[in-house]
Amino acid sequence: MTKLSVNINRIALLRNSRNIGIPSVIEAAKTAIAAGAHGITVHPRPDERHIKAADVYDLAKMLTVEFNIEGNPFQPPFMDIVCDVKPAQCTLVPDAPDVLTSDSGWNIPENRDRLLPIIEKLKNNGIRVSLFMDADPALMPLAKEVGADRVELYTEPYATAFREGNVESVFQQYALAAKAAQSVGLGVNAGHDLNLQNLAKFCSIPDILEVSIGHALIAEALEMGLSNTVQAYLKILSDS
Ligand code: PXP
């Protein structure tokens, strides 16, 4: 079954709009875990606009499931935090500091020489490394070559095509990219704009190991409650 890692950035975003500590990212993580989530994801950014460095350390102390920390390794203090905390997985994302949200995968040829030592350092710390990638089958051998264990397919174009009702050719592209990654020995994760409507079709691609879902899940939780929402996602994953 594909694992669900719940991204709790949006809980921190709401918390940061006041100075009274609610909603609590720790409580949200506990609720998601109690509901069956297999992992918790955070994406600390240099401006700490949602998840702060302190949240990452606090979460690391209490988590009983896999911790996935996403971010750009070339923006301090990301690597210091990750190497201190030693999460199960680190997902490297090439996002500029000022973007609203991650908006593309790695250009590996351009970043190869910078990525190689970073990935080696993470792996020497016992951390599984995933690279955020566009769904281009030709890029998958390059991700393997720089030492990644997994790729996370950037699913925003899939989600957009799904919403617009013309998903088929885009979906095929993702299926081919996943197959290309698996054929060179990479595990395949996925994330971005996945939701209760579009997840089942995406997970009909064989052997997707993990999806990390935040924005839609937290929005849906406003209506359904966090626990019920996590369970609704888990049901889709177990039925896929
Ligand atoms: N994967 C990465 C690399 C991301 O940056 C994000 C957003 O923080 C997600 C997955 C989750 O996307 P969403 O919040 O749209 O579910």
Side-chain angles (χ1 to χ4, degrees):
M1 170 177 162
T2 304
K3 292 191 167 157
L4 172 67
S5 189
V6 174
N7 179 320
I8 54 173
N9 289 351
R10 292 296 173 275
I11 301 289
L13 190 67
L14 187 56
R15 188 260 332 259
N16 294 354
S17 63
R18 290 281 166 94
N19 283 320
I20 53 174
I22 60 166
S24 154
V25 292
I26 297 292
E27 291 307 317
K30 282 185 190 164
T31 303
I33 294 164
H38 306 103
I40 296 293
T41 291
V42 294
H43 191 144
R45 292 179 188 268
D47 62 6
E48 298 203 318
R49 64 181 187 252
H50 38 64
I51 287 291
K52 298 171 187 266
D55 293 321
V56 181
Y57 287 97
D58 289 348
L59 284 161
K61 277 187 228 139
M62 55 71 68
L63 283 185
T64 51
V65 294
E66 277 205 4
F67 198 11
N68 174 42
I69 305 181
E70 307 169 341
N72 189 324
F74 307 123
Q75 289 168 12
F78 183 80
M79 282 297 285
D80 292 339
I81 297 172
V82 173
C83 290
D84 268 357
V85 163
K86 299 189 189 358
Q89 177 173 273
C90 178
T91 302
L92 302 179
V93 185
D95 54 345
D98 54 345
V99 292
L100 199 53
T101 181
S102 317
D103 55 3
S104 74
W106 285 99
N107 177 337
I108 296 189
E110 219 167 70
N111 290 283
R112 185 178 180 280
D113 292 347
R114 299 202 298 163
L115 281 172
L116 278 167
I118 291 279
I119 293 173
E120 191 181 4
K121 182 169 180 184
L122 292 169
K123 289 173 77 170
N124 286 343
N125 275 278
I127 301 164
R128 190 170 74 227
V129 178
S130 181
L131 288 181
F132 196 53
M133 300 293 292
D134 296 325
D136 179 349
L139 295 176
M140 302 306 150
L142 305 182
K144 179 73 180 172
E145 196 192 302
V146 291
D149 302 295
R150 294 190 186 183
V151 289
E152 179 182 318
L153 297 179
Y154 168 45
T155 48
E156 195 270 343
Y158 163 79
T160 301
F162 188 96
R163 198 170 50 243
E164 291 172 353
N166 59 354
V167 75
E168 223 33 66
S169 66
V170 178
F171 174 75
Q172 289 308 329
Q173 180 76 9
Y174 278 83
L176 288 174
K179 200 168 173 192
Q182 288 155 351
S183 74
V184 293
L186 290 163
V188 178
N189 297 341
H192 220 288
D193 283 333
L194 294 174
N195 60 33
L196 287 173
Q197 284 71 46
N198 64 27
L199 184 62
K201 180 169 180 71
F202 191 85
C203 286
S204 67
I205 297 173
D207 298 322
I208 301 294
L209 297 177
E210 176 186 289
V211 286
S212 71
I213 307 184
H215 185 81
L217 188 153
I218 300 301
E220 288 148 355
L222 294 173
E223 296 275 334
M224 298 162 56
L226 183 54
S227 193
N228 288 339
T229 309
V230 168
Q231 283 168 13
Y233 277 92
L234 291 171
K235 171 137 184 26
I236 292 170
L237 295 176
S238 72
D239 290 349
S240 296

